Amino acid sequence: MTDPHELDEAVVEDSDAWGTRQRVGAFLAPAALLGIWFAPFPLTEVQHHLLAIFVATVVLWVTETLPVAVTALLVPPVMAIAGIAKPKELFAPLADPILFIFIGGFMIAKAMTRHGLDRRIALSIVGLRAVGNDGSRVRLAFMGTATLLSMWMSNTATTALLMPILLGVVGTKRSKDAGTERAAVGSLVCLAYACSLGGLGTPVGSPPNLIALRYIEGAHIHMSFLSWMKIGIPSAIACTGATFAFYRWFAPAKVTVDGTASIEPVHAAMSKGERVTALAFGLAVLAWMLPGLFELFGAPGAATLSKILAPENVAMVAAALLFAFRDERDRVLPWREGVAIDWGTVLLFGGGISLGNQLFDSGLAAEISRAFVAATGIHGLWELTFAATLFTIFFTEVCSNTATATMVTPLVIAVAQELQVPLTPPAMAVGLAASCAFMMPISTGPNAIVYGTGRVPMSFMLRGGFLLNVACAVILFLLLRVLSGPFGWA
């Protein structure tokens, strides 16, 4: 579940200063727009102009010359000016129902942080007696907690919550012993990567999941909340397990008795705010999963229940509970805090849907897919799925994962349609792979936070992250390959 300060979506800039990448974008985006606009391409006028806008948008998203949300917000009016479609059609995606899942999720996550429910859950898990003083078990407890929380909370917020607790175990200062310091660094990056990987588990775990889900359903293929979890949960567990196993060899964990002594479960009674937040969160999770359970067991009324408990309905009703009750001081979630959510992600998603819709409606996506198939020679479902997985993982190292999923998913679906193969596996591959960027501090919010501790050398992150990128690409591909048949996706 996302958060009002979702740095891992690159909606908020790290600083106001322009770097080389932004300067390149400031030159390259208008150059690409004008160059393609006047170049002789064998396309219709609408397709030709849309291609110029699409490439310029990609450049701006990759270089972040403008905040990516601002670029997305400009997409509908620029397309309207270019005569791509009518303004009413172009701006409609800014109120797409799936955006309200983001809004409701943001508000629930905000309340969890406000009342400390997230911290209570985290400390209760990592403070279990079974964890003890074994270094590997301590690391695994942190990774498991991160995976569980980030299925429902922002990956970045989860990292920000758990990092100070972990630093209390491994030490806030560099160790003079090289082995001990390497172990500490390994634990720090493992926590960051687990926070990203946990987001694979549920549709609300990370925005790319919802983007993939939106495009799959846009192709008239029904996929419930529970259906995503069928692949999302195994993916999160398998990739987190692979990360733990790799770093157990690459940087074995150590821990001291004094460090673990400071981690204790929270025993204080829950405040009213915590109880109401827990109720809203629990009801949302239950209602999101219930229609899928009805479908799974063939219970009567499943179709009706799916309409009533549509994910966007559930998100907004659950969020409304936070404003309906008061704690000792104020409403459980005061409006002044509820309104301070990450509207940038909402706008980014809305603008991206608008652009994606026009890629299909104009026929440009089909033209691009035909060119892609001719250039690569890809002709099968699983070749496409593996290519989509690998490309997305490495492309998202330099681009926001939300922007990556927004750009790549509609094109992958168009290629699948051109090849006349099922589109669900490659589309899901993009959504899942977009959260698997481990090489660069700028790739995700969790990476940035762990790098910001000053303990993680760039070379350490690059070497381990590259191998983990490849490993996760293979794991995601194999899971999709094995599970798509039984789940009816291929």
Side-chain angles (χ1 to χ4, degrees):
M1 190 175 292
T2 41
D3 176 77
H5 303 290
E6 184 61 88
L7 300 180
D8 58 334
E9 309 316 327
V11 172
V12 180
E13 291 184 304
D14 291 334
S15 72
D16 294 329
W18 269 21
T20 302
R21 188 168 61 162
Q22 286 77 20
R23 293 189 183 93
V24 170
F27 167 78
L28 192 57
L33 178 68
L34 294 174
I36 295 174
W37 189 284
F38 293 108
F41 284 110
L43 301 169
T44 66
E45 183 178 346
V46 168
Q47 291 173 345
H48 196 159
H49 293 171
L50 182 58
L51 178 63
I53 294 170
F54 175 65
V55 173
T57 300
V58 171
V59 171
L60 290 174
W61 271 338
V62 172
T63 61
E64 297 180 66
T65 301
L66 297 174
V68 291
V70 174
T71 299
L73 193 58
L74 286 173
V75 167
V78 170
M79 288 195 296
I81 293 169
I84 305 299
K86 295 180 179 180
K88 185 176 182 179
E89 178 183 350
L90 295 170
F91 281 92
L94 293 172
D96 191 279
I98 207 165
L99 268 65
F100 292 89
I101 303 176
F102 281 120
I103 296 172
F106 289 159
M107 291 178 175
I108 294 172
K110 185 80 170 179
M112 291 178 72
T113 301
R114 170 181 167 82
H115 295 284
L117 179 61
D118 51 1
R119 183 174 178 81
R120 177 185 292 273
I121 295 171
L123 288 174
S124 296
I125 295 175
V126 300
L128 292 172
R129 291 185 178 180
V131 174
N133 189 46
D134 179 82
S136 292
R137 288 203 300 266
V138 170
R139 180 183 286 181
L140 186 60
F142 273 96
M143 294 180 70
T145 304
T147 302
L148 178 64
L149 288 178
S150 59
M151 288 182 186
W152 311 100
M153 291 176 56
S154 152
N155 303 339
T156 302
T158 303
T159 311
L161 167 71
L162 292 174
M163 189 61 67
I165 304 172
L166 178 59
L167 286 172
V169 175
V170 301
T172 56
K173 297 181 179 180
R174 294 179 183 272
S175 173
K176 295 180 180 180
D177 179 74
T180 300
E181 181 61 17
R182 185 175 181 84
V185 171
S187 294
L188 291 172
V189 297
C190 280
L191 174 63
Y193 297 162
C195 288
S196 294
L197 292 168
L200 305 181
T202 67
V204 297
S206 188
N209 301 355
L210 282 175
I211 292 170
L213 196 61
R214 165 65 174 75
Y215 281 113
I216 290 170
E217 294 192 338
H220 309 292
I221 298 174
H222 173 65
M223 178 168 284
S224 67
F225 198 97
L226 189 61
S227 295
W228 181 277
M229 293 177 68
K230 289 178 181 178
I231 188 68
I233 296 292
S235 298
I237 293 173
C239 289
T240 302
T243 302
F244 174 76
F246 172 73
Y247 279 96
R248 191 174 185 181
W249 164 77
F250 191 65
K254 296 180 181 180
V255 73
T256 64
V257 175
D258 292 340
T260 54
S262 63
I263 301 178
E264 294 291 343
V266 178
H267 297 296
M270 293 178 72
S271 66
K272 183 178 179 180
E274 277 187 277
R275 294 197 300 273
V276 173
T277 302
L279 174 65
F281 174 64
L283 289 176
V285 172
L286 178 62
W288 278 326
M289 296 179 61
L290 202 57
L293 292 172
F294 268 55
E295 292 177 11
L296 181 64
F297 293 106
T304 301
L305 191 65
S306 294
K307 293 180 181 179
I308 295 173
L309 296 181
E312 58 271 15
N313 295 345
V314 171
M316 294 311 299
V317 171
L321 292 175
L322 305 172
F323 300 96
F325 292 90
R326 301 180 66 89
D327 59 13
E328 295 77 8
R329 301 170 294 164
D330 203 339
R331 296 181 189 275
V332 172
L333 183 63
W335 179 245
R336 64 182 178 276
E337 296 189 26
V339 76
I341 61 173
D342 183 12
W343 293 104
T345 295
V346 177
L347 296 174
L348 173 57
F349 195 10
I353 292 174
S354 181
L355 181 59
N357 287 349
Q358 295 310 311
L359 287 174
F360 281 106
D361 293 347
S362 68
L364 179 59
E367 293 291 341
I368 294 174
S369 68
R370 281 191 282 271
F372 175 81
V373 170
T376 62
I378 288 177
H379 62 274
L381 169 61
W382 300 114
E383 288 176 306
L384 174 60
T385 301
F386 184 73
T389 305
L390 199 62
F391 174 81
T392 301
I393 283 181
F394 284 97
F395 186 69
T396 198
E397 290 285 356
V398 295
C399 185
S400 152
N401 57 9
T402 302
T404 297
T406 301
M407 289 184 284
V408 178
T409 308
L411 296 181
V412 165
I413 288 176
V415 173
Q417 292 173 336
E418 174 68 18
L419 294 173
Q420 298 183 343
V421 298
L423 59 85
T424 301
M428 292 189 76
V430 174
L432 294 167
S435 295
C436 299
F438 308 116
M439 291 174 59
M440 305 285 288
I442 63 170
S443 302
T444 67
N447 289 12
I449 289 175
V450 71
Y451 188 74
T453 63
R455 302 282 294 278
V456 182
M458 177 68 80
S459 58
F460 185 94
M461 184 174 281
L462 282 171
R463 283 180 296 170
F466 174 80
L467 294 173
L468 205 55
N469 277 5
V470 175
C472 285
V474 173
I475 289 170
L476 294 178
F477 170 76
L478 291 176
L479 284 172
L480 285 165
R481 182 71 177 86
V482 171
L483 298 178
S484 290
F487 293 158
W489 300 334

